[in-house]
Amino acid sequence: MSSSAKRALKILTALGESGRPMGVTEIARTLNIAPGTAFRGLDALQRAGLLTRHPSAPRFVLGPAALGLRQSLLSLFRIRDIALPYLRQLASASGETTSLYVRIGWYAARTAVAPGAAEVTSGAILKGAQPLSAEPSGRAILAHLPRNQVARFLKWATARGIVIPPGFERQLAALPARGFASASPPDTGAVAFPIRKSDQAFASVAIEGPGFSGTSLTGERIAECRAIAGAIEALVRVNRDMGRQPFEHIDPDDVVLPS
């Protein structure tokens, strides 16, 4: 892949993850490139229909071609169809952003989001994927995979320089009994619950916000979230097609996603 093509993909990733319009200077600063280089990349993407100018500011947003590609990808995950109403219900009850994450290879990627009451913007829907060990959303999935799969992930992560903290395997082994994964201080509060099929997790529901940190993490709040995740899981078990993973035929070691 040429350097200009790689740069174009990085620009698209930055705009997609931001979930808001971005200008030339901000793109250049984010990617550590010259403003002139950023402008040429933005101009080429705009001519291709992948970006478009914001109607009220000298900024860029995803264009119709990029939005069409994103929607085509999201539509492959049938679980979104049944999860979205539950995500909105939970976001309304908790006031915090609630998201659906799916496993793609050794990554967890957000494919649906219901903004909480405190959110100013809906944010990026398909945000940058993270390794399964990085966030509660991925750890909730990883903890419900067979031990040989966990071992494969750890080998994959180590080979790529991904830092695995001391005691990670022990903490991971304790998650199934606990029933959820949570963020560690001083991170923003977050909890995630696995969505399983055939006793293996392929997705998770995560609630992210200060209302799910420290002393705010009460048994009542956890029970409410667990019930929502359990309802989604029950529907998946009734209709197995809802749990279909469009990329499960690909060896997870071969999947490389931008973070």
Side-chain angles (χ1 to χ4, degrees):
M1 183 183 294
S2 68
S3 59
S4 59
K6 290 180 180 178
R7 189 161 49 244
L9 287 175
K10 289 181 178 179
I11 292 174
L12 281 173
T13 298
L15 274 161
E17 291 183 0
S18 73
R20 56 180 174 75
M22 297 179 72
V24 174
T25 302
E26 186 178 7
I27 286 285
R29 185 171 59 249
T30 299
L31 300 180
N32 195 28
I33 58 178
T37 303
F39 176 79
R40 288 192 293 275
L42 289 163
D43 182 62
L45 289 168
Q46 182 183 10
R47 286 186 278 107
L50 293 167
L51 296 181
T52 187
R53 287 184 180 272
H54 192 270
S56 59
R59 297 173 182 271
F60 293 83
V61 295
L62 294 180
L67 293 173
L69 288 171
R70 184 175 71 178
Q71 193 58 42
S72 296
L73 175 60
L74 293 176
S75 67
L76 296 176
F77 296 94
R78 295 289 309 282
I79 189 175
R80 293 183 73 249
D81 299 337
I82 60 172
L84 274 170
Y86 290 97
L87 298 182
R88 296 185 184 113
Q89 177 186 343
L90 191 50
S92 176
S94 67
E96 306 289 359
T97 296
T98 306
S99 306
L100 172 71
Y101 287 82
V102 297
R103 178 190 171 191
I104 304 178
W106 296 126
Y107 300 85
R110 186 167 71 178
T111 56
V113 57
E119 287 288 304
V120 176
T121 176
S122 62
I125 295 178
L126 185 61
K127 76 174 188 178
Q130 295 292 331
L132 292 174
S133 58
E135 298 178 352
S137 54
R139 294 195 292 272
I141 297 172
L142 187 61
H144 292 82
L145 294 181
R147 293 180 63 181
N148 66 323
Q149 289 293 300
V150 174
R152 280 193 64 192
F153 167 79
L154 293 174
K155 181 179 179 181
W156 172 88
T158 301
R160 282 153 183 78
I162 297 170
V163 176
I164 302 297
F168 178 78
E169 290 183 73
R170 183 179 66 255
Q171 296 169 12
L172 198 68
L175 287 185
R178 188 185 186 199
F180 64 93
S182 60
S184 300
D187 295 340
T188 300
V191 294
F193 299 82
I195 304 297
R196 294 161 293 187
K197 61 174 183 178
S198 303
D199 296 323
Q200 293 187 31
F202 71 100
S204 67
V205 170
I207 305 91
E208 302 158 302
F212 284 85
S213 61
T215 56
S216 300
L217 199 60
T218 64
E220 183 179 350
R221 305 200 84 179
I222 290 298
E224 182 179 36
C225 298
R226 181 181 283 117
I228 293 292
I232 297 173
E233 188 174 272
L235 290 172
V236 169
R237 293 193 174 190
V238 170
N239 187 346
R240 293 301 181 96
D241 189 52
M242 291 296 178
R244 183 170 58 86
Q245 295 166 269
F247 305 109
E248 62 185 348
H249 62 286
I250 301 175
D251 189 317
D253 287 358
D254 295 334
V255 177
V256 179
L257 298 177
S259 58

